[in-house]
Amino acid sequence: MSKALKLPIVELPENIDKLRDEVRSFIAEERSKGTFEPQCDSWLGGFSAEFSRKLGERGWIGMTWPKKYGGHERSSLERFVVTEELLAAGAPVAAHWIADRQSGTLLLRYGTEEQRNFYLPKIAKGESYFVIGLSEPNSGSDLASLSSMATKADGGWVLNGSKLWTSGAHHSHYMIALVRTAPLNPENRHQGLSQFVVDLAAPGVTVRPIRLMTGEHHFNEVIFEDVFIPDGSLVGKVGDGWKQGMAELAYERSGPERFLSTLPLLTELLNTIQLDPDRHTKIEVGKLVARLWTLRKMSLGVAGLLEKGVTPSLMAALVKDLGTQFEKQLAETARLLVSSNPSVTSSSAFERRLAEAILHSPGFTLRGGTTEILRGIIAKEVVAK
Amino acid sequence: MSEIREMLVESATKIMKDFCTKELINEAESGVWAEDLWNIVEESGLTTIAVPEEAGGTGGSYGDALSLLRIAGKYSAPIPLAETLLANWLLAEVGLPISSKPLTLSPVDNNVVTFNETEGGWGVSGIVKQVPWASLVEGIVVVGKFKDQYMIAKIDPNNCLISQGSNLAGEPRNNIEIQNQFVPSNGVAFGTDGLVSRFAHLGILVKSVLMAGALERVLELTTAYTKERSQFGRPIHRFQAIQHHLASLSGETAAAKVVTDYGIEAIDINQFETEAMIAKIRVGEAASISVPIAHQVLGAIGFTDEHILQHSTRRLWAWRDENGTEVEWAEKFGEQVINAGPEALWPSVTGINKNPISSH
């Protein structure tokens, strides 16, 4: 078999069970206090500054980062366990999600000492939130066509343009934006791109809500009009933005949030069908859980590669493709197994979870690289090996 | 993977690659015994892997044997290697003599074979359907019953009525009639419910690794074809529609690999029933998704006997139905999941809290 398609077997060390139990106890305690109700897609829709701060206090944000930057020097497998427990419980983790998953990690890798000292401790405390600054009104899947431009000025850069689909920009503090620092070269479109930390409170930044079809406010367009960004905000090297941004994607694509977004619905489904399951129901549940079990092992395999310092872009794309299909399939199966009237305002938890899963489902196979783009990447890599 | 297992996989790959030619597989399908292939496999000690040396076997673990079978599945090895290994494992487990010669194991959980006590031994009778390779082996290991007690014996196919038959891949699948065949007392052993259940699950894990191997082959052949074949002036892998097929195929193959990797891992720690069920379900689904894709991509040539794709795809079609379809196992597994309740779901997926989803 093509080496590129292999994933390691990851046996979680015994001592990780203790950590998992701690997270479960914490979640159970918060549930009993009524802090949150489990929800589908909680890493997009579950914003709670208070909950993020509690996670920060427990050392569950920035887990893998060095202690001198407020991190906890734990392994990426330990982070995997904390993450999957929170998602499986449908806990409100949206506030710090991006900062913890990719912005902080990117700053750790490419940022200056000053940037790390400034941003990372605040992120790890669960008090500083970031957004992704990649897509633009005219650049979606064709990211390299982006046109927001930073022009060199005295002591910094002047940014003009806009970023789209920036989840959470209305209550986040910073964006890591990928922008042009040199005009587009049609021969090599990946040249001339750079990454900056943009303060969303800076003059000239406008955050315009774009509501989901449910009326929920997660997306925004962030517009930059002559925004001054000081020199110290450049991340990594001028012109290296594309390469740096791609490395970020392996983290973005393979985590448990790519197959667990609708897990709270599966739990409610089991609750609903428990008493008198027919043969068809048993079969569908058996298939779903077999898929879930396999996906988790695949995601864990990618985490195992990341832990070893490998950047498994092919397998990350592949796990995201399969995982996000599963998230949708789970909702569809649940819908067909139980006759119900899904609604976010229903008095039945099953109907509320089903409504969340259905209404959020278009996003699963769009965010972080559409299925179509991922499949192109997978096929090209498989053919090339 | 241990170093020993790596060496085993490497040498098995070499043997299978060299011997399992298109001609050999086609001939075997027409009923010719793959003598040379069997001989080298037997001489290399591969027919008694995971039987301890003190019992006359080659030694090694079940995991080693399953890794070997994934290679055999990949190259469509037209010999009863899986069946011989299963038969030997059961014989060794109950203390009966093993054999390096071709054997088969008839379906283990059945109520059709009966054992009756006679002078100096036992009379074994029954009609068993779909016994793999029965027409070409030297011994058939059967599990039957004496009253409520499971009994195990190796019987002689020459003294059975064996009807010809084959599965979708042209592998022998024979109905056999055992007519009060005498087996001396020292050739019969007792079995337990636990043992029979374990071998039923071993059977599905074995089938799953064979299938995972065949899926690897299907992906390789399909990918290679998209590079060789040009239409509209370019290799067809450049077309987005084909790329999407390749991506799905890669995903299913990778899933089959991972799920059988964990089955192989689990079997060496002896708690593998849940993993085996999950493997049969997931690999069965992977087969049903992948085979149509491969045939679509290869076009007309792929479903002729001139192309070797069909050796793998027909095996996948046959094997997914053997030892229980993915739906039969999904029903069993789903029932366990539902009975364990919503609170047990996530803990059992993550494997903590001592497996609330158990197969018993």
Side-chain angles (χ1 to χ4, degrees), chain B residues 240-260:
Chain B
Q240 213 167 42
I242 301 292
Q243 290 178 350
H244 285 206
H245 280 320
L246 284 178
S248 295
L249 202 53
S250 304
E252 294 305 308
T253 309
K257 171 87 167 63
V258 165
V259 81
T260 50

Side-chain angles (χ1 to χ4, degrees), chain B residues 93-296:
Chain B
E93 189 103 2
V94 297
L96 292 173
I98 63 144
S99 163
S100 64
K101 300 292 172 200
L103 300 175
T104 192
L105 174 64
S106 84
V108 291
D109 42 356
N110 72 78
N111 283 308
V112 292
V113 178
T114 55
F115 283 66
N116 293 300
E117 230 170 343
T118 62
E119 179 80 37
W122 298 79
V124 185
S125 305
I127 296 173
V128 193
K129 291 186 176 159
Q130 294 289 308
V131 181
W133 293 90
S135 55
L136 290 170
V137 295
E138 297 190 8
I140 302 174
V141 176
V142 295
V143 179
K145 280 200 172 153
F146 168 62
K147 295 176 186 160
D148 281 338
Q149 170 70 51
Y150 278 115
M151 309 286 291
I152 293 141
K154 187 173 83 182
I155 61 159
D156 181 356
N158 294 317
N159 296 328
C160 298
L161 282 179
I162 297 184
S163 66
Q164 293 305 310
S166 60
N167 65 13
L168 291 173
E171 296 179 305
R173 296 291 184 267
N174 311 102
N175 295 345
I176 64 171
E177 187 174 346
I178 315 162
Q179 298 163 307
N180 200 24
Q181 187 172 140
F182 176 77
V183 183
S185 297
N186 61 5
V188 172
F190 297 105
T192 61
D193 288 1
L195 181 74
V196 168
S197 164
R198 206 150 65 75
F199 270 79
H201 287 89
L202 253 179
I204 53 172
L205 191 52
V206 161
K207 208 53 33 103
S208 303
V209 299
L210 288 169
M211 291 173 74
L215 280 165
E216 284 183 23
R217 182 78 157 157
V218 166
L219 175 63
E220 283 181 9
L221 293 172
T222 308
T223 310
Y225 184 81
T226 64
K227 292 200 243 185
E228 291 155 12
R229 175 73 171 168
S230 278
Q231 289 287 278
F232 306 102
R234 48 185 174 157
I236 62 171
H237 72 76
R238 297 267 194 83
F239 292 92
Q240 213 167 42
I242 301 292
Q243 290 178 350
H244 285 206
H245 280 320
L246 284 178
S248 295
L249 202 53
S250 304
E252 294 305 308
T253 309
K257 171 87 167 63
V258 165
V259 81
T260 50
D261 274 346
Y262 278 91
I264 289 171
E265 182 78 2
I267 200 160
D268 285 334
I269 41 179
N270 214 21
Q271 277 272 347
F272 69 98
E273 279 86 351
T274 304
E275 280 86 350
M277 275 195 288
I278 292 173
K280 189 68 166 71
I281 298 164
R282 187 61 187 91
V283 178
E285 285 185 348
S288 298
I289 294 168
S290 300
V291 170
I293 289 176
H295 277 294
Q296 188 69 19

Side-chain angles (χ1 to χ4, degrees), chain A residues 44-87:
Chain A
L44 175 71
F47 177 89
S48 166
E50 190 199 344
F51 197 81
S52 290
R53 210 172 295 118
K54 283 182 184 170
L55 293 177
E57 276 166 22
R58 279 162 182 78
W60 294 336
I61 301 177
M63 285 179 72
T64 61
W65 307 343
K67 287 187 175 156
K68 62 176 171 172
Y69 305 124
H72 305 279
E73 299 183 4
R74 304 192 81 156
S75 70
S76 56
L77 294 177
E78 287 175 304
R79 178 176 181 276
F80 185 99
V81 164
V82 170
T83 309
E84 69 172 355
E85 288 299 325
L86 291 167
L87 292 170

Side-chain angles (χ1 to χ4, degrees), chain A residues 10 24 279 282 291 383, chain B residues 227 262 285 331 335 352:
Chain A
V10 176
R24 283 187 185 166
R279 175 166 190 261
K282 292 174 192 167
R291 285 207 156 223
V383 165
Chain B
K227 292 200 243 185
Y262 278 91
E285 285 185 348
E331 184 184 357
E335 185 173 276
I352 197 176

Side-chain angles (χ1 to χ4, degrees), chain A residues 1-2 5-12 17-18 20-21 24 84-85 88 259-260 263 266-268 270-271 273-275 277 279 281-287 289-294 296-298 300-301 315 318 321-322 329 371-376 378-380 382-385, chain B residues 74 216 219-220 223 226-227 237 240 242-244 246-248 250-259 261-263 265 269 274-275 277-278 281-282 285-286 289 326-335 337-343 345-354 357:
Chain A
M1 181 159 174
S2 162
L5 282 175
K6 280 189 183 154
L7 285 170
I9 289 190
V10 176
E11 291 298 339
L12 294 171
D17 287 353
K18 192 173 155 276
R20 194 188 290 284
D21 283 339
R24 283 187 185 166
E84 69 172 355
E85 288 299 325
F259 64 94
L260 289 176
L263 197 86
L266 182 56
T267 311
E268 276 310 321
L270 291 182
N271 205 10
I273 58 177
Q274 204 171 7
L275 290 180
R279 175 166 190 261
T281 302
K282 292 174 192 167
I283 291 168
E284 292 301 319
V285 167
K287 282 191 195 171
V289 179
R291 285 207 156 223
L292 168 65
W293 190 91
T294 309
R296 178 173 174 273
K297 295 295 193 192
M298 295 179 86
L300 206 47
M315 290 313 284
L318 191 144
D321 181 21
L322 284 176
Q329 187 197 11
T371 298
E372 289 69 21
I373 290 295
L374 297 175
R375 289 188 180 171
I378 297 163
K380 278 177 198 149
V382 167
V383 165
K385 303 289 161 169
Chain B
K74 178 169 180 179
E216 284 183 23
L219 175 63
E220 283 181 9
T223 310
T226 64
K227 292 200 243 185
H237 72 76
Q240 213 167 42
I242 301 292
Q243 290 178 350
H244 285 206
L246 284 178
S248 295
S250 304
E252 294 305 308
T253 309
K257 171 87 167 63
V258 165
V259 81
D261 274 346
Y262 278 91
E265 182 78 2
I269 41 179
T274 304
E275 280 86 350
M277 275 195 288
I278 292 173
I281 298 164
R282 187 61 187 91
E285 285 185 348
I289 294 168
E326 58 271 27
V327 158
E328 288 168 71
W329 286 105
E331 184 184 357
K332 283 186 192 146
F333 181 51
E335 185 173 276
V337 170
I338 294 167
N339 286 344
E343 296 307 318
L345 171 73
W346 183 246
S348 45
V349 169
T350 54
I352 197 176
N353 291 358
K354 317 299 168 240
I357 300 175

